[in-house]
């Protein structure tokens, strides 16, 4: 049973309210990623806003970008695995056709910043093949059934039209796609703040023959929380206060560097000279060719050392940020340069990061698998991935080629070479398929060479004829013209 327009508008308003709340948070988190973080509260309360705005543009570092980049470099999809290899091949072909090798990186980047990104799957109007389009949490939201993080009730995409500056929205439900818009000054909305958006040559609503919401949420850092909004968190959104403290210490260090970073020289014991306007006249100008002379014998010259900026160092705070976000400490600036560090020490420092990446692969992989299931519903073969399908990810742990080769040689007796190529040599699904073709051609070539080089046994009926074309007689045949011996008996 299709819902009434009033019921749809109530759901749209509910989704839009939650989308507004998320958009405000996304704007704040995005500023930390770009290195343009907002003013800390301590700066505004101390009334040094002007000095902060003047100094921080030359030193505000995008720590959020560094944290996200360390994880993003390790999230790379290499293939899809399923019980039916043909189904997996179809799904991987769709992935490649939709340029998802690069597009998935964009979705992961947004997901690591805000905790979630979205993928819409719908047939292309021209080719009728599934098309994947990505969206940010500032424009898209998914509503789930109460107590579930996979059963989708509806999804809403809201954006501003670039030409008319009008707010448009599309509500995705299992039975149809409802296109809406906010009314202009000349239009009136009888119910709520939305009216149907009629597209020429298109039904309203657009029928949804697939019976499911065609929007999938790619989540990171999920938590088990009740409600119809699935929880997700970005990589550094829980550390904004710590980043503010780092920025505050950086600002104070710049203040010291600009106004107290040089020795202060003072003349003590003499009267202060002033001009007619009451401005202080400097007692002397210290230059390379000048001689300083004091008339008052009680005058003395003293010097006060520059302030130590090291007391305002941010290295301790950066260590805390690295520990909380599980980012290797040597990714951040260090008080002393790295030296004499072994590969094992670096690998141990990256252990927490690798463990976090494994968790992200599990949560994001479930989302991408659902995206590929939706794609399979829209192709002619109609062969969806099974619930046991899994995404194959590249392994970016720091291991040398010699270490990988040694592991492959030791495991060659107990594992197929395809598994070794994937797990040890970090080969993608396309590379393994190409190697299988090359390996098969090598095997066939070896068989041909072996057949040509094999010696022919005496009496072998398959012995090739001589160059003249007359077959050679068998080895035990009597000479030409000889009388055969009589039969026995």
């Amino acid at each position: 049973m299709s819902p009434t327009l009033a019921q749809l508008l109530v759901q749209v308003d509910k989704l839009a309210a939650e989308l507004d709340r998320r958009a405000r948070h996304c704007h704040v988190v995005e500023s930390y990623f770009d290195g343009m973080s907002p003013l800390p509260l301590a700066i505004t309360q101390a009334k040094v806003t002007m000095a902060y705005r003047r100094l921080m543009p030359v030193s505000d570092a995008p720590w959020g970008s560094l944290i996200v980049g360390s994880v993003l470099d390790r999230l790379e999809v290499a293939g899809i695995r399923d019980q039916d290899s043909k189904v997996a091949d179809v799904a991987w072909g769709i992935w490649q056709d939709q340029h998802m090798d690069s597009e998935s990186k964009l979705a992961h980047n947004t997901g690591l910043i805000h905790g979630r990104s979205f993928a819409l799957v719908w047939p292309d109007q021209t080719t009728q093949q599934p098309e994947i389009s990505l969206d940010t949490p500032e424009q898209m939201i998914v509503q789930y059934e109460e107590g579930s993080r996979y059963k989708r009730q509806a999804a809403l995409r809201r954006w501003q039209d670039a030409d008319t500056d009008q707010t448009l929205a599309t509500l995705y439900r299992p039975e149809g796609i409802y296109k809406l818009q906010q009314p202009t000054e000349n239009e009136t909305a009888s119910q709520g703040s939305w009216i149907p958006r009629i597209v020429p040559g298109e039904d309203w609503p657009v029928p949804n023959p697939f019976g499911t919401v065609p929007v999938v949420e790619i989540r990171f850092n999920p938590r088990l929380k009740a409600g119809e909004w699935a929880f997700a968190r970005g990589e550094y959104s829980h550390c904004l206060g710590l980043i503010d403290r780092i920025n505050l210490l950086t600002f104070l260090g710049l203040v010291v560097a600009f106004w107290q970073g040089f020795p202060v020289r003072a003349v003590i014991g003499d009267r202060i000279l002033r001009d007619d306007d009451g401005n202080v006249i400097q007692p002397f100008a210290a230059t390379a060719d000048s001689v300083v002379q004091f008339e008052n014998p009680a005058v003395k010259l003293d010097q006060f050392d520059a302030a130590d900026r090291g007391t305002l160092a941010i290295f301790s705070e950066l260590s805390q940020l690295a520990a909380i976000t599980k980012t290797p400490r040597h990714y951040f600036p260090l008080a002393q340069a790295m030296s004499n560090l072994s590969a094992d020490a670096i690998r141990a420092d990256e252990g927490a990061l690798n463990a976090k990446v494994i968790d992200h692969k599990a949560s994001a992989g479930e989302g991408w698998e659902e995206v590929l299931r939706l794609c399979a519903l829209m192709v002619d073969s109609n062969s969806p991935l099974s619930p046991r399908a899994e995404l194959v990810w590249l392994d970016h742990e720091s291991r040398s080629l010699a270490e990988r080769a040694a592991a492959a040689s030791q495991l060659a007796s107990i594992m197929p070479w395809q598994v070794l190529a994937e797990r040890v040599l970090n080969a993608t699904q396309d590379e393994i398929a190409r190697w299988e073709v090359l390996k098969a051609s090598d095997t066939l070539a070896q068989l041909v060479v072996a057949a040509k080089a094999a010696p022919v046994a005496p009496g072998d009926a398959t012995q090739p004829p001589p160059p003249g074309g007359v077959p050679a007689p068998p080895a035990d045949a009597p000479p030409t013209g000889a009388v055969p011996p009589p039969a026995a008996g």
Side-chain angles (χ1 to χ4, degrees), residues 254-322:
L254 289 174
V255 171
V256 169
F258 273 81
W259 285 283
Q260 301 178 20
F262 305 95
V264 178
R265 298 178 179 87
V267 176
I268 303 176
D270 200 4
R271 67 188 183 91
I272 299 176
L273 303 178
R274 299 179 182 272
D275 58 15
D276 296 339
D277 297 328
N279 299 322
V280 176
I281 300 175
Q282 298 296 331
F284 59 88
T287 59
D289 58 348
S290 66
V291 177
V292 179
Q293 182 178 359
F294 299 101
E295 184 178 357
N296 187 355
V299 172
K300 67 176 183 178
L301 186 65
D302 205 348
Q303 175 176 305
F304 300 93
D305 294 335
D308 183 13
R309 187 184 175 188
T311 57
L312 298 170
I314 61 175
F315 300 113
S316 177
E317 280 69 24
L318 289 179
S319 296
Q320 296 180 36
L321 185 62

Side-chain angles (χ1 to χ4, degrees), residues 21-22 25 111 114-117 217-223 225 229-235 237:
R21 186 190 67 82
R22 292 184 183 180
H25 181 70
H114 304 295
R116 67 187 93 225
S117 59
E217 186 176 40
I218 312 297
R219 290 194 300 270
F220 292 87
N221 299 306
R223 288 171 59 184
K225 282 194 171 185
W229 317 113
F231 179 86
R233 175 182 56 77
E235 291 299 284
S237 59

